[in-house]
Amino acid sequence: MRTLRHVPTGLALVPALVLALAACGQTEEGGSRTLPEPTGSWAVESLTTGGRTLHAPGTARLDLAEHEATGNYGCNGFKAAVAFAGTSAVTVTPGATTAMACENMEFETEFAKLFKGRLTIDRGPDRLTLKTADGSTIAMTPKPPDADAPLTVTQWTVDSLISGASVSSVPAEAAGKAWFTLAADGAASGVLGCNRFSAKAAVEGATLTFGPVTSTRMACEGPAGEVERTLTELFGSGPLTWEIQGQALTLTAADGKGLTAKAASAAE
């Protein structure tokens, strides 16, 4: 006859408790995974609003830091102030945005409408969802941050002009015509809008200063001429604060005027 051995109740519960805790930390594939923190770089997958699902273009992203958010609606870039309530909610105050005419403006407009005010945060094992008070959502997956392009030996194409809190895209007729590069030895060159230019430039910490600009002397009319005059004035205004995030460069003068430019290609 088999003898049943008595096991104390507390000890019998320990293996079951260990198994239960282990199961909570595993995915269906059996690997453990922790819930993501809200801060970080996110690729926007889709929006749900008004009973519709809008799928994001591949360039839509959101970078969440402790007090600031930056990102791209799909074509236009934006900034916002954020205030987290732990990991369960965030309050968004929209800031500056570019104003380019883009192909998928429906998605951009809805993204901008949803990403403001108080949003609750749903943290899944491999995604983050922001929810508005009416139940609309912004669904995102983790995205490694883009490596910053180098300031020098990069061709920068001017895509917008800054005037204080206002950021305006370069007029369509002048798009892609203004660009510049900074060589490792400090030589700057490029096109201001229609005339080619060259200058010496000096980088000291977070400031970039252009010396006297020498350029060709073609008569420049229309939007390209307006961009050229703006850039000529900016480059001659003294030290410019520079900042690079991913493939985007921002130059800002002391009076709040400036530009944004995208890394087009490495300069030869």
Side-chain angles (χ1 to χ4, degrees):
M1 177 182 294
R2 297 180 60 187
T3 302
L4 298 178
R5 187 174 52 163
H6 175 70
V7 179
T9 304
L11 294 178
L13 290 176
V14 171
L17 179 60
V18 171
L19 290 173
L21 290 174
C24 289
Q26 292 184 338
T27 62
E28 291 181 359
E29 293 78 18
S32 61
R33 181 176 295 184
T34 57
L35 297 176
E37 293 296 325
T39 54
S41 296
W42 301 94
V44 179
E45 273 195 337
S46 64
L47 311 174
T48 60
T49 181
R52 300 177 302 156
T53 298
L54 301 178
H55 296 286
T59 49
R61 73 174 200 281
L62 180 61
D63 299 316
L64 288 170
E66 185 176 356
H67 300 294
E68 183 184 55
T70 58
N72 193 293
Y73 291 128
C75 173
N76 283 292
F78 65 89
K79 291 185 177 181
V82 295
F84 286 95
T87 58
S88 62
V90 61
T91 299
V92 180
T93 303
T97 180
T98 58
M100 295 182 286
C102 302
E103 181 179 354
N104 193 353
M105 288 306 298
E106 181 184 17
F107 183 89
E108 297 224 347
T109 300
E110 293 300 330
F111 190 176
K113 286 181 180 178
L114 298 184
F115 190 62
K116 65 181 180 180
R118 183 177 174 83
L119 305 172
T120 57
I121 301 172
D122 181 6
R123 301 164 66 210
D126 57 1
R127 67 183 54 240
L128 194 77
T129 303
L130 303 179
K131 296 183 179 180
T132 66
D134 68 0
S136 298
T137 64
I138 303 171
M140 304 179 292
T141 55
K143 177 184 182 298
D146 293 332
D148 291 343
L151 177 63
T152 58
V153 201
T154 297
Q155 179 174 308
W156 296 104
T157 301
V158 179
D159 59 2
S160 65
L161 302 174
I162 302 170
S163 181
S166 174
V167 182
S168 302
S169 60
V170 170
E173 299 88 339
K177 294 182 179 179
W179 59 270
F180 60 93
T181 61
L182 302 170
D185 64 359
S189 61
V191 178
L192 294 167
C194 69
N195 281 294
R196 297 190 65 85
F197 83 95
S198 62
K200 279 291 185 181
V203 179
E204 295 185 8
T207 63
L208 168 65
T209 305
F210 287 89
V213 171
T214 301
S215 68
T216 56
R217 299 191 176 187
M218 292 186 293
C220 303
E221 302 295 336
E226 294 175 10
V227 170
E228 176 150 330
R229 287 186 286 275
T230 299
L231 295 184
T232 301
E233 180 180 345
L234 178 67
F235 290 167
S237 65
L240 305 173
T241 300
W242 66 273
E243 180 183 11
I244 295 176
Q245 291 187 338
Q247 305 299 297
L249 166 69
T250 302
L251 296 181
T252 312
D255 61 3
K257 294 182 179 179
L259 62 81
T260 67
K262 290 184 179 179
S265 64
E268 297 295 334

